Amino acid sequence: MLKIGEFSRISGVTIITLRHYDQIGLLKPVHTDDSNGYRYYSMRQLPRLNRILALKDLGFTLEQIGPVLRENIAPEQIRGMLRLKQAEIEQRVAEEQSLLGRVEARLRQIESEEYMAGYDVVLKTVDTMTIATTREVVPTIGEMATRCGAMFGALFQYVGQSGLKPSGPPFAIYHCPGYTETDIDTESAVPLPNGSNPAPATVDGIAITPQSLEGGEMAATVHHGPYTGIPNAYAAIGAWIEANGYRIVGPPREIYLVGPHEGEPVTEIQYPVQKA
Amino acid sequence: MLKIGEFSRISGVTIITLRHYDQIGLLKPVHTDDSNGYRYYSMRQLPRLNRILALKDLGFTLEQIGPVLRENIAPEQIRGMLRLKQAEIEQRVAEEQSLLGRVEARLRQIESEEYMAGYDVVLKTVDTMTIATTREVVPTIGEMATRCGAMFGALFQYVGQSGLKPSGPPFAIYHCPGYTETDIDTESAVPLPNGSNPAPATVDGIAITPQSLEGGEMAATVHHGPYTGIPNAYAAIGAWIEANGYRIVGPPREIYLVGPHEGEPVTEIQYPVQKA
DNA sequence: TTGCTCCTCACGTCACGTGAGGTGGC
DNA sequence: TTGCTCCTCACGTCACGTGAGGTGGC
């Protein structure tokens, strides 16, 4: 019979850990003194302790080790548990490596001075939503402001007439691939409460269609300030997507979080992406 | 001004997380209602929130993110932090991969039926210690019991005469490489309290030398039962060492935790090892 | 008035480590 | 008697998630 300190020295396990294993019932001392609470261990408990350490070393939690020690589990089951562990660790390694990739991408970005200061690109999941939308090809960029004004005016009028309330900020979808200054294929949209199902209509000669817009993973960033600076936000997202090994799988969305009439506008840019 | 639910929906961050960031001062709502505690956020806080998310995504803790947001840190410093992170993640990847290696080794062991049931090999660090020792070449294995008896008898007598107490169980070091049944180069030893420094002596014609024994990393397992079964323990350690990519760097030790006169003996085998 | 949203505790997570404060054994 | 060992709480770790129990706003 050994006092906890001796057993600790021989086993190489701290006293605190031994007390912890006692407390959770994983390794009880062979005897505990009733009067002073002293724990007494036996050398014959070393194999059990070593089994605990060996299983812990294979990545099992103490909670998982308990049953393995109690019931005598068939090697077949042990094998199953190890296979599971294996898959779990492989998963974690993959995650760590993707994290490493992100850190390295950021370092390269800083070092190559293509550092898009001020823009932080994040990945977010956007739900599928119901929207009211209208679409037109705007001939030149100079006409964007008036055309967008007209489109959103019609949309809000339509939403009001339908007895609905927008369920979020209005946004645009740009269907032309790449940056263009002419013939900009623009879809303007207002999100509606889920489940609402109004009919199509024409307002002020503008055709409005309610529809469902697919959600998914988005690479997104927020631009704070006048719209003339927005190309920088697009560039920042583009750089992030390339550096982090994603692929653009749809047209970008521009979400007008704070409109131009309420001070400095705040605009979010989203690109639907997939891991490449 | 947005209620927490709206801000949560727009940012894609849970309400609970937003409350947590408020609590630790990472992102305070622009306004908190005094009467009911409602938090109100602004769209203009989205860039800050995104910065938090982006840094978190690079593996920084919330505690590390705080200063980065408050003080405007130079890109030079950011670079330093990223380099540190990078090294840290590489370290973790290496650890996970070694864990994966251990799990795979165990799986192979089970599948190839060379499964040494009952032996759990663990890695432990043994301290350098002061010992009293005597060494001789035992001609045949049949004489081991009597020779060991004689050696330990002399050692204990010596320790007693020196006015010392053994500081741990007695053990043997086997200097012959591989398993042999003849001419076994055996060193018997008794650990002494650290700092004690007795003189060499001869007891019953047996020469006893006090010395220092180097510690280090050991692959160890415990054998429970008669000494005839001990070769299995050696085999188990050998298999473990090979499977886990270690290398034997010294002679094995056999530690007599429970001697043969106290019921079933309990014996620990240790091999000094290094990562190969 | 009824849902819906929001609030504040308090506790749990995983495997211990770190004091604080006190007692038993040689 | 004096160190040394041992004991039992209680709290901290990291970034939230999960109730419990209660209140404000349309």
Side-chain angles (χ1 to χ4, degrees), chain A residues 58-128:
Chain A
L58 292 174
F60 291 101
T61 66
L62 300 186
E63 201 168 2
Q64 291 170 323
I65 292 172
V68 176
L69 294 185
R70 266 189 294 283
E71 312 143 31
N72 53 351
I73 302 247
E76 190 48 52
Q77 276 194 294
I78 301 271
R79 195 154 62 175
M81 293 175 67
L82 285 171
R83 290 248 177 73
L84 264 176
K85 258 300 156 214
Q86 191 182 16
E88 194 184 310
I89 302 162
E90 277 164 359
Q91 169 81 18
R92 274 212 306 275
V93 167
E95 273 163 23
E96 295 282 355
Q97 265 161 353
S98 112
L99 171 56
L100 195 55
R102 291 199 298 278
V103 170
E104 281 164 357
R106 190 77 164 218
L107 268 170
R108 276 198 304 277
Q109 217 182 74
I110 292 179
E111 276 161 16
S112 72
E113 302 291 336
E114 71 177 63
Y115 180 47
M116 289 296 165
Y119 292 104
D120 289 292
V121 179
V122 300
L123 212 54
K124 58 164 70 174
T125 304
V126 167
D127 284 344
T128 296

Side-chain angles (χ1 to χ4, degrees), chain B residues 102-114:
Chain B
R102 291 200 297 279
V103 170
E104 281 164 356
R106 189 78 163 218
L107 268 170
R108 275 198 304 277
Q109 219 183 71
I110 293 179
E111 276 161 16
S112 71
E113 301 292 339
E114 72 179 62

Side-chain angles (χ1 to χ4, degrees), chain B residues 161-178:
Chain B
Q161 279 167 3
S162 308
L164 297 169
K165 289 198 135 189
S167 67
F171 62 97
I173 305 172
Y174 289 100
H175 289 279
C176 29

Side-chain angles (χ1 to χ4, degrees), chain A residues 22 38 41 82 85 103 105 127 147 151 178 200 240 258 260 266:
Chain A
D22 177 12
Y38 275 36
Y41 292 87
L82 285 171
K85 258 300 156 214
V103 170
D127 284 344
R147 294 314 307 143
M151 284 194 277
W240 185 94
V258 175
V266 176

Side-chain angles (χ1 to χ4, degrees), chain B residues 16-29:
Chain B
I16 288 163
T17 298
L18 289 174
R19 282 206 275 252
H20 186 225
Y21 291 171
D22 176 13
Q23 203 176 330
I24 65 174
L26 208 52
L27 185 78
K28 293 269 180 204

Side-chain angles (χ1 to χ4, degrees), chain B:
Chain B
M1 298 251 282
L2 307 158
K3 285 200 285 183
I4 196 168
E6 307 167 83
F7 194 61
S8 163
R9 239 167 289 127
I10 285 169
S11 63
V13 169
T14 71
I15 292 177
I16 288 163
T17 298
L18 289 174
R19 282 206 275 252
H20 186 225
Y21 291 171
D22 176 13
Q23 203 176 330
I24 65 174
L26 208 52
L27 185 78
K28 293 269 180 204
V30 285
H31 174 247
T32 303
D33 190 303
D34 288 337
S35 73
N36 60 19
Y38 275 36
R39 294 169 176 84
Y40 291 96
Y41 292 86
S42 154
M43 293 292 189
R44 304 190 195 285
Q45 296 186 284
L46 274 173
R48 185 183 173 98
L49 179 53
N50 280 352
R51 171 140 297 175
I52 293 170
L53 298 179
L55 289 169
K56 203 158 66 83
D57 189 53
L58 292 174
F60 292 101
T61 67
L62 299 186
E63 202 168 359
Q64 292 170 322
I65 293 172
V68 177
L69 294 186
R70 266 189 294 282
E71 314 143 30
N72 53 350
I73 303 247
E76 191 47 52
Q77 276 195 295
I78 300 271
R79 195 153 63 172
M81 293 176 66
L82 285 171
R83 289 249 177 73
L84 264 177
K85 258 300 155 214
Q86 191 182 17
E88 193 185 310
I89 301 162
E90 276 164 0
Q91 171 80 19
R92 273 212 306 275
V93 168
E95 273 164 22
E96 295 280 357
Q97 264 161 353
S98 113
L99 171 57
L100 195 55
R102 291 200 297 279
V103 170
E104 281 164 356
R106 189 78 163 218
L107 268 170
R108 275 198 304 277
Q109 219 183 71
I110 293 179
E111 276 161 16
S112 71
E113 301 292 339
E114 72 179 62
Y115 180 46
M116 287 298 163
Y119 292 103
D120 290 291
V121 180
V122 300
L123 213 54
K124 57 165 70 172
T125 303
V126 168
D127 284 343
T128 296
M129 54 185 154
T130 304
I131 57 173
T133 149
T134 179
R135 180 167 174 176
E136 69 179 64
V137 175
V138 179
T140 71
I141 203 165
E143 292 160 87
M144 274 305 287
T146 41
R147 294 315 307 146
C148 283
M151 285 194 276
F152 282 116
L155 281 168
F156 281 117
Q157 202 178 320
Y158 166 83
V159 171
Q161 279 167 3
S162 308
L164 297 169
K165 289 198 135 189
S167 67
F171 62 97
I173 305 172
Y174 289 100
H175 289 279
C176 29
Y179 179 74
T180 50
E181 301 209 332
T182 58
D183 295 331
I184 307 146
D185 187 350
T186 307
E187 186 168 11
S188 296
V190 170
L192 300 178
N194 267 337
S196 59
N197 193 18
T202 299
V203 177
D204 290 344
I206 291 172
I208 291 172
T209 329
Q211 52 184 264
S212 175
L213 181 64
E214 274 290 300
E217 279 219 312
M218 302 282 175
T221 198
V222 170
H223 173 75
H224 198 166
Y227 294 116
T228 51
I230 281 205
N232 292 326
Y234 277 90
I237 299 193
W240 185 94
I241 288 172
E242 195 182 347
N244 290 276
Y246 280 82
R247 203 158 50 84
I248 294 172
V249 295
R253 306 178 187 178
E254 247 180 59
I255 297 150
Y256 305 109
L257 299 170
V258 175
H261 46 295
E262 307 161 81
E264 291 265 281
V266 177
T267 314
E268 177 168 5
I269 318 291
Q270 295 179 346
Y271 263 103
V273 292
Q274 269 182 9
K275 266 174 257 175

Side-chain angles (χ1 to χ4, degrees), chain A residues 3-22 26-27 41 45-54 56-57 62, chain B residues 122-127 222 268 270:
Chain A
K3 286 199 285 184
I4 196 168
E6 308 169 81
F7 195 61
S8 162
R9 240 167 288 128
I10 286 170
S11 63
V13 169
T14 71
I15 291 177
I16 288 162
T17 299
L18 289 173
R19 282 207 274 253
H20 186 225
Y21 290 171
D22 177 12
L26 208 51
L27 185 77
Y41 292 87
Q45 297 186 282
L46 274 173
R48 186 185 173 99
L49 179 53
N50 279 352
R51 170 140 300 174
I52 292 170
L53 298 179
K56 202 158 67 81
D57 189 53
L62 300 186
Chain B
V122 300
L123 213 54
K124 57 165 70 172
T125 303
V126 168
D127 284 343
V222 170
E268 177 168 5
Q270 295 179 346

